Amino acid sequence: MPTPQAQSAFLSRRHREMTPRTQGRTLIADDILVAYYGDEVSLRQFRASLRQIVSANANMDFLNGTRNDPIRHFDSERVKQGNSLLLRSREDLVRNIQAKEYEGARETLGQILHSLQDFYSHTNWVELGNTDVHPNLATPGKDISSIAGVFDQTCTDCTDVSCQNNIAAAIQKRHLLTSGYYGETPEKPQGKCSHGGPFDDSRQRSARGGINKDTATAMFSPHHFLHSTAAQVALRASIKFLSDLRREVTDADMMRLLGVSAYPALSFVLDTTGSMGEEITSARLQSRHIIDRQRKSLLQPDYYILVPFNDPNFGPVYKTSDSVEFLEILDSLMALGGGDEPEMCLSALQLALINTPPLSEIFVFTDASSKDIHLRSSVEALIQEKKIKVSFLITEDPSRTTRRSKRQLLHPDRFDLYTDLASTSGGQIIFTNNRDISEVSEVIADSAHFDVITLLHEQRSEGGAAKYVFLVDAFVHSVTLYINGDIRKYNIHDPTGRKQSGLHHIHGKFIRVILPDPLQVGDWKIYMETAGPHSLRVQGRSSVDFLYYFGTPVNGSHPGLYQLNNQPVAGVPAILVVDVIGLPESANLSHVSLTTVNGEMRTVELEAANQTGLLVAQVGHIPIGEFSVGVRGQDGKGHEIKREAPQQLKSAECTLEISSDSPLTPGLLHTISVKITNFGASHCYSVTFSNDISEVSATLRIEMGPGETRVQQMEIQVPDTAKHNRIVTVLVKAEECDSKVPPCSSHLSLVVIGNRDVMPVSPPVCALPSYSGSCPESLLPGLLCRGHLWSALLLLSDADGIRLVQVLNGSGTTSHGPDGDYDRVEFTSTCCTPQAELLLTNYRDTTWLCQLQAPAIANLMQPRSHWLSLIVSVIACVLFATVVGVGWMCYRRRRRDRWASDTSDTHSHNSPRANDVL
């Protein structure tokens, strides 16, 4: 890295260069990034990272696992539980950052910010007169108190659209926190507040109305008049959270989390069989060249990644931010053994795709075909999801008729798979030989810029005369042509028709042509006379680019635009959102095009969105199969601008959502939840689960009707030897059993947290049960016992909140929910079952047992003096941390000296809050 003095000088120079462009207007994040890195940097990674955080935030309202969860939205008085979830999520966030799993960290950060911001919109914090952030919210070591109890009336009826002063006066006076109930689950008690708005079914039950401040519109938000105040406080809370987080992680980690990067990675997949010595040397030389060129600047890769392979081995993954360490790893590689084929190329490529940051490029060096072609759809899904280019440097020309002795019988089309993958990813495939590989590998240095764009995707032809056209606009420079194959003659003409030569580098059948700047704006043409198979690719550099995603409108309880993160869904009405990068105010983008592999193009007009820099297009139904996305418009002088996304998309008729509630721990089974939704006709799906930490995989068949959703569970066994901060990637693929419908795929990366130290822990604080009802001692079994009921109530103080209550022994009904600073658990049973054992589970999956026994009374015909004192059963709490397999038992016994009453209802009905707390 540059010295602090060099960085200071660099930034001072950049500040002077930036000032004229930004004078008189407010700086935005893009300006600051360019000021730091200079004009060499592209904003793609930065914008894509922020978009991932924003989408994760928004999708909390759309995903099945989160949209109706009151804890994640601080609804239904789940204030204490919501804060506990924020603290657990913060731990997951820090853990992901420290493990360098930034994609998962961004997802978690977006979810945290959603919950954090909902606190100020859904609770009465602002109504209590607060104009600053809650000091204890999402703060490690702190908790939220002063919360309204289950018997407190929190709201009064409001029949107007705008609900003024409908928070109960006692709640305001006592300065208690509450939040509105939403929908029918959990059911709203009498006198509690509602969320409100047209999609909230609870708003018609007392107390009618609502208190949400989500929008500034009265129709949707009964407390719309406080929206601006709540939004400002939520913004300050978000800034505070990020500032606190920055103090806990390194600056480098924080920058990578937010995508502040020159470019993300230099990533290689290297065949290490005996014939690959020259290729390994070339990768080593190109890496050294790139590292030396950028060592004196800030433009260094975030990561250097290497995945070696041969047959039958592939891996491990070498991933480092230290250029010296990376060169040492390359220097240690040796080409040994092998010489036959095929090899484990796709297995190694899949590993590289999993570990390489989005929007990067991977270079594959090999001279052999792939034997693991069954991984093709998984590799394509990762390419599409992470928008990574894959380029292949093949040191054997498939057009040659002579072969090495061990390759006499090899099929001439054995490299077609690599050609398809390069085309799908927006990369290129170059055929060369050992003698020229060193010069040919200079394409790596050409692509080692984050602002590279493709002007002409790789075009392949068998022979004869050919004509190609590519557009150069006012924002393009450093254009390079890559010609590969049997070429007799070629001519390059500028838009005026004049012949241009450029700087030529010819290495065997590979030709690299660099056109001098400045370039004439308009259509450039290339004429070729060829004698056999050949290919052409044109790329340049530009600060003007775009990102995009497809979303589908969602109605119901949380209306909005749900971003399709993984792949487009065929046949589903969709909106394309375009994030414009680097386009000056004088220029514009006006249309988007969807082009299928057979050349059919659909053009749709772009419209301004409600957010600066975003454009939207109503694309209707997404086409089935492969297609590409492009945008076009005009610069300030009326000249055409055109950009195409490098990767081709492949739509599917299903979606997959993978989720996990906890990190991985060595030696234990871990459950993963997979939600499959079918948007097509009735299908049979073959669903495959796999992961990269064990060879165990599972496949099941599911019959699904149109619009049907299924949730499946899978388990991962983490080896005892798994290291702390090891990242495990779960891959799920759903393929239609009998037809050629494209599969849907998704992946989830999880962090191994390592074995926790076994330390004594305090059990959850349990209130002494408060009993009501009783069971006479002389009560005979049979029908008579059904006419007598008894119940127990517990108030539990647990830092993480009660997630689940189960009856292990006995028979009865349970309910649980918040009650001020406690969790309230109620159990009711007939006297046919005078004893019960409850299993309570909190949100960290810690469990403990509570034993209950019905209060008994003596025979009612006996004198009062003969009443026996009733012994109340103690609560035996057995606390065992399931994540470490070690149990901790807490046993508490209380004795009441006397139970007395004048009627059959002899037991105390005092408020449970008056009871002693263990």
Side-chain angles (χ1 to χ4, degrees):
M1 287 291 290
T3 64
Q5 293 81 3
Q7 289 193 26
S8 178
F10 183 87
L11 291 176
S12 296
R13 176 168 56 85
R14 287 302 177 190
H15 174 72
R16 291 192 301 271
E17 293 174 355
M18 184 189 71
T19 301
R21 297 199 301 267
T22 58
Q23 208 165 31
R25 67 178 178 86
T26 302
L27 287 178
I28 61 174
D30 290 359
D31 298 323
I32 299 171
L33 188 65
V34 172
Y36 185 79
Y37 282 114
D39 295 332
E40 294 287 307
V41 71
S42 168
L43 300 172
R44 273 187 293 170
Q45 177 74 8
F46 177 60
R47 290 280 192 90
S49 298
L50 295 189
R51 178 54 50 196
Q52 186 180 2
I53 297 170
V54 170
S55 295
N57 185 324
N59 284 349
M60 284 273 281
D61 282 337
F62 307 128
L63 294 175
N64 280 355
T66 60
R67 64 183 178 187
N68 294 320
D69 186 347
I71 296 176
R72 293 181 180 273
H73 302 280
F74 281 92
D75 291 331
S76 306
E77 296 191 297
R78 267 60 177 179
V79 178
K80 185 181 181 69
Q81 294 85 347
N83 188 54
S84 296
L85 177 60
L86 279 177
L87 292 173
R88 294 195 302 275
S89 299
R90 190 183 188 280
E91 291 177 4
D92 293 340
L93 172 61
V94 172
R95 188 181 298 117
N96 276 303
I97 293 173
Q98 292 173 344
K100 315 299 182 186
E101 172 45 31
Y102 298 111
E103 291 176 75
R106 292 183 195 113
E107 290 289 327
T108 303
L109 176 58
Q111 294 173 356
I112 287 173
L113 292 178
H114 185 109
S115 297
L116 187 74
Q117 293 155 7
D118 271 356
F119 172 84
Y120 297 98
S121 178
H122 294 180
T123 73
N124 64 326
W125 175 256
V126 172
E127 284 85 345
L128 291 173
N130 297 297
T131 58
D132 204 354
V133 302
H134 193 298
N136 295 341
L137 184 67
T139 303
K142 301 292 183 66
D143 200 0
I144 293 182
S145 58
S146 299
I147 303 170
V150 68
F151 299 113
D152 291 322
Q153 179 180 348
T154 56
C155 270
T156 57
D157 271 345
C158 166
T159 56
D160 295 332
V161 177
S162 180
C163 290
Q164 300 275 350
N165 303 316
N166 63 328
I167 303 287
I171 297 298
Q172 294 288 91
K173 182 178 180 180
R174 295 163 61 194
H175 214 76
L176 297 179
L177 276 172
T178 188
S179 68
Y181 282 73
Y182 192 98
E184 298 179 352
T185 306
E187 184 177 351
K188 185 179 82 168
Q190 184 84 5
K192 293 296 186 179
C193 300
S194 287
H195 178 86
F199 305 107
D200 177 18
D201 295 332
S202 78
R203 75 188 190 282
Q204 300 296 347
R205 297 193 297 271
S206 177
R208 291 177 292 173
I211 64 170
N212 92 74
K213 300 161 283 294
D214 287 339
T215 73
T217 304
M219 175 182 177
F220 296 102
S221 300
H223 282 198
H224 60 96
F225 45 87
L226 292 173
H227 169 73
S228 178
T229 302
Q232 289 299 319
V233 180
L235 176 60
R236 287 196 289 273
S238 301
I239 295 171
K240 176 184 181 295
F241 181 87
L242 291 171
S243 299
D244 292 344
L245 177 66
R246 182 184 176 186
R247 286 190 284 270
E248 193 165 342
V249 301
T250 67
D251 283 349
D253 281 336
M254 197 70 184
M255 291 173 72
R256 286 171 184 149
L257 173 68
L258 300 177
V260 181
S261 170
Y263 68 97
L266 180 61
S267 190
F268 292 142
V269 174
L270 275 175
D271 187 339
T272 58
T273 51
S275 57
M276 293 296 296
E278 293 295 333
E279 289 84 346
I280 295 173
T281 300
S282 297
R284 185 182 299 132
L285 292 174
Q286 285 301 319
S287 299
R288 194 176 300 277
H289 171 67
I290 293 170
I291 290 169
D292 288 342
R293 184 184 68 185
Q294 298 178 344
R295 184 166 281 161
K296 296 181 180 180
S297 74
L298 300 178
L299 301 173
Q300 299 184 61
D302 284 345
Y303 291 108
Y304 302 92
I305 299 165
L306 170 66
V307 184
F309 72 95
N310 47 53
D311 182 24
N313 303 311
F314 60 93
V317 179
Y318 299 99
K319 184 176 182 179
T320 178
S321 299
D322 188 335
S323 60
V324 175
E325 180 184 354
F326 182 69
L327 290 175
E328 289 175 352
I329 294 170
L330 278 174
D331 288 339
S332 69
L333 283 183
M334 297 182 64
L336 298 172
D340 58 346
E341 63 172 88
E343 313 271 2
M344 302 293 287
C345 183
L346 289 199
S347 296
L349 177 56
Q350 180 173 273
L351 266 183
L353 286 163
I354 289 171
N355 287 276
T356 300
L359 301 171
S360 303
E361 185 165 4
I362 298 173
F363 297 94
V364 181
F365 289 80
T366 187
D367 63 355
S369 58
S370 178
K371 72 182 301 181
D372 43 8
I373 59 175
H374 63 281
L375 294 175
R376 174 172 182 164
S377 59
S378 297
V379 166
E380 288 178 333
L382 286 168
I383 286 171
Q384 177 171 289
E385 184 175 348
K386 302 184 77 171
K387 295 181 171 58
I388 290 178
K389 296 180 185 178
V390 181
S391 292
F392 293 85
L393 282 76
I394 311 296
T395 48
E396 182 165 86
D397 190 335
S399 66
R400 296 188 330 188
T401 57
T402 59
R403 309 287 182 190
R404 301 180 206 175
S405 59
K406 293 188 178 182
R407 300 187 178 180
Q408 293 292 333
L409 302 178
L410 296 179
H411 196 281
D413 296 331
R414 67 191 184 280
F415 294 122
D416 285 356
L417 172 60
Y418 298 157
T419 301
D420 293 343
L421 290 176
S423 176
T424 297
S425 70
Q428 57 184 315
I429 183 167
I430 300 172
F431 294 98
T432 185
N433 52 49
N434 285 336
R435 183 182 65 253
D436 296 323
I437 183 62
S438 179
E439 290 79 10
V440 170
S441 62
E442 291 179 5
V443 298
I444 300 173
D446 292 344
S447 297
H449 299 277
F450 204 33
D451 58 351
V452 171
I453 61 169
T454 301
L455 301 176
L456 180 67
H457 286 278
E458 190 161 62
Q459 304 290 318
R460 307 190 70 81
S461 178
E462 291 298 318
K467 174 186 173 183
Y468 303 98
V469 179
F470 65 93
L471 175 66
V472 172
D473 59 54
F475 309 110
V476 172
H477 64 97
S478 303
V479 173
T480 303
L481 284 63
Y482 303 98
I483 305 170
N484 194 208
D486 294 319
I487 308 296
R488 289 198 182 111
K489 180 181 179 182
Y490 63 92
N491 292 310
I492 304 170
H493 294 264
D494 68 18
T496 65
R498 290 193 297 267
K499 184 178 178 180
Q500 300 289 337
S501 57
L503 181 62
H504 296 246
H505 299 273
I506 301 175
H507 309 290
K509 294 186 177 183
F510 177 72
I511 305 170
R512 180 165 157 260
V513 183
I514 302 173
L515 299 179
D517 291 323
L519 297 176
Q520 180 75 36
V521 172
D523 286 335
W524 288 63
K525 299 178 180 62
I526 304 171
Y527 300 92
M528 288 186 180
E529 293 181 13
T530 62
H534 67 277
S535 66
L536 170 68
R537 173 188 175 87
V538 182
Q539 73 179 32
R541 295 175 58 192
S542 176
S543 60
V544 175
D545 206 346
F546 75 104
L547 296 169
Y548 68 94
Y549 66 87
F550 286 95
T552 182
V554 176
N555 296 316
S557 58
H558 295 93
L561 188 67
Y562 168 47
Q563 177 176 341
L564 301 170
N565 285 322
N566 298 331
Q567 62 192 121
V569 180
V572 173
I575 295 174
L576 180 68
V577 181
V578 174
D579 191 350
V580 184
I581 299 172
L583 191 69
E585 294 180 359
S586 59
N588 71 87
L589 296 178
S590 57
H591 291 83
V592 63
S593 61
L594 306 181
T595 307
T596 63
V597 289
N598 58 12
E600 297 180 5
M601 179 185 292
R602 188 199 315 171
T603 302
V604 184
E605 187 175 353
L606 282 168
E607 302 173 358
N610 58 1
Q611 183 177 338
T612 304
L614 293 185
L615 303 172
V616 296
Q618 304 281 344
V619 300
H621 285 55
I622 296 174
I624 297 177
E626 291 187 33
F627 65 96
S628 60
V629 176
V631 295
R632 62 185 57 190
Q634 291 185 330
D635 64 14
K637 297 181 180 180
H639 298 125
E640 185 180 14
I641 304 171
K642 184 166 65 175
R643 294 288 182 273
E644 288 193 23
Q647 291 79 23
Q648 292 181 353
L649 299 177
K650 184 177 290 186
S651 61
E653 293 187 343
C654 57
T655 61
L656 293 172
E657 294 177 20
I658 315 177
S659 60
S660 171
D661 292 332
S662 60
L664 304 181
T665 303
L668 295 180
L669 283 173
H670 184 83
T671 301
I672 304 292
S673 178
V674 180
K675 185 175 78 73
I676 309 165
T677 303
N678 175 39
F679 289 92
S682 294
H683 284 308
C684 162
Y685 284 106
S686 176
V687 184
T688 303
F689 307 91
S690 61
N691 64 83
D692 63 350
I693 200 170
S694 69
E695 296 181 357
V696 178
S697 62
T699 302
L700 56 91
R701 291 168 68 94
I702 304 175
E703 297 285 347
M704 299 186 70
E708 187 177 353
T709 293
R710 296 279 190 89
V711 177
Q712 299 291 331
Q713 305 292 331
M714 65 168 293
E715 289 184 333
I716 298 177
Q717 177 71 55
V718 182
D720 293 329
T721 56
K723 295 182 178 180
H724 176 70
N725 280 348
R726 162 79 151 85
I727 298 173
V728 177
T729 301
V730 178
L731 298 168
V732 182
K733 178 173 63 176
E735 295 182 285
E736 214 283 328
C737 299
D738 303 312
S739 72
K740 298 297 183 181
V741 175
C744 57
S745 303
S746 187
H747 80 280
L748 176 69
S749 293
L750 300 169
V751 177
V752 176
I753 64 172
N755 286 312
R756 291 192 178 104
D757 294 333
V758 178
M759 300 177 63
V761 294
S762 298
V765 178
C766 304
L768 187 70
S770 173
Y771 289 99
S772 61
S774 58
C775 297
E777 288 181 342
S778 61
L779 194 64
L780 296 176
L783 295 176
L784 290 178
C785 66
R786 298 181 184 177
H788 294 263
L789 296 176
W790 68 279
S791 62
L793 185 148
L794 302 93
L795 290 180
L796 301 106
S797 178
D798 181 76
D800 298 298
I802 304 303
R803 179 174 64 85
L804 182 65
V805 179
Q806 299 167 280
V807 181
L808 288 189
N809 294 306
S811 176
T813 60
T814 64
S815 64
H816 71 281
D819 188 0
D821 296 336
Y822 297 90
D823 277 89
R824 181 184 183 90
V825 177
E826 296 183 68
F827 173 80
T828 301
S829 174
T830 68
C831 286
C832 298
T833 309
Q835 295 179 337
E837 188 175 46
L838 304 185
L839 177 68
L840 280 66
T841 306
N842 70 8
Y843 280 92
R844 286 191 190 272
D845 285 332
T846 300
T847 61
W848 66 99
L849 297 172
C850 287
Q851 296 176 348
L852 306 174
Q853 182 169 322
I857 60 174
N859 192 318
L860 297 180
M861 299 301 295
Q862 295 178 350
R864 182 183 181 94
S865 60
H866 287 260
W867 280 62
L868 300 176
S869 297
L870 300 180
I871 305 300
V872 180
S873 174
V874 302
I875 301 175
C877 300
V878 181
L879 174 66
F880 55 95
T882 58
V883 293
V884 295
V886 178
W888 293 99
M889 178 176 291
C890 169
Y891 186 79
R892 296 289 186 270
R893 188 179 300 269
R894 291 292 304 265
R895 180 187 302 270
R896 292 188 184 274
D897 294 331
R898 174 174 295 175
W899 295 81
S901 178
D902 293 331
T903 66
S904 59
D905 186 11
T906 60
H907 220 69
S908 171
H909 287 272
N910 290 336
S911 168
R913 291 187 184 280
N915 292 328
D916 294 335
V917 177
L918 289 180

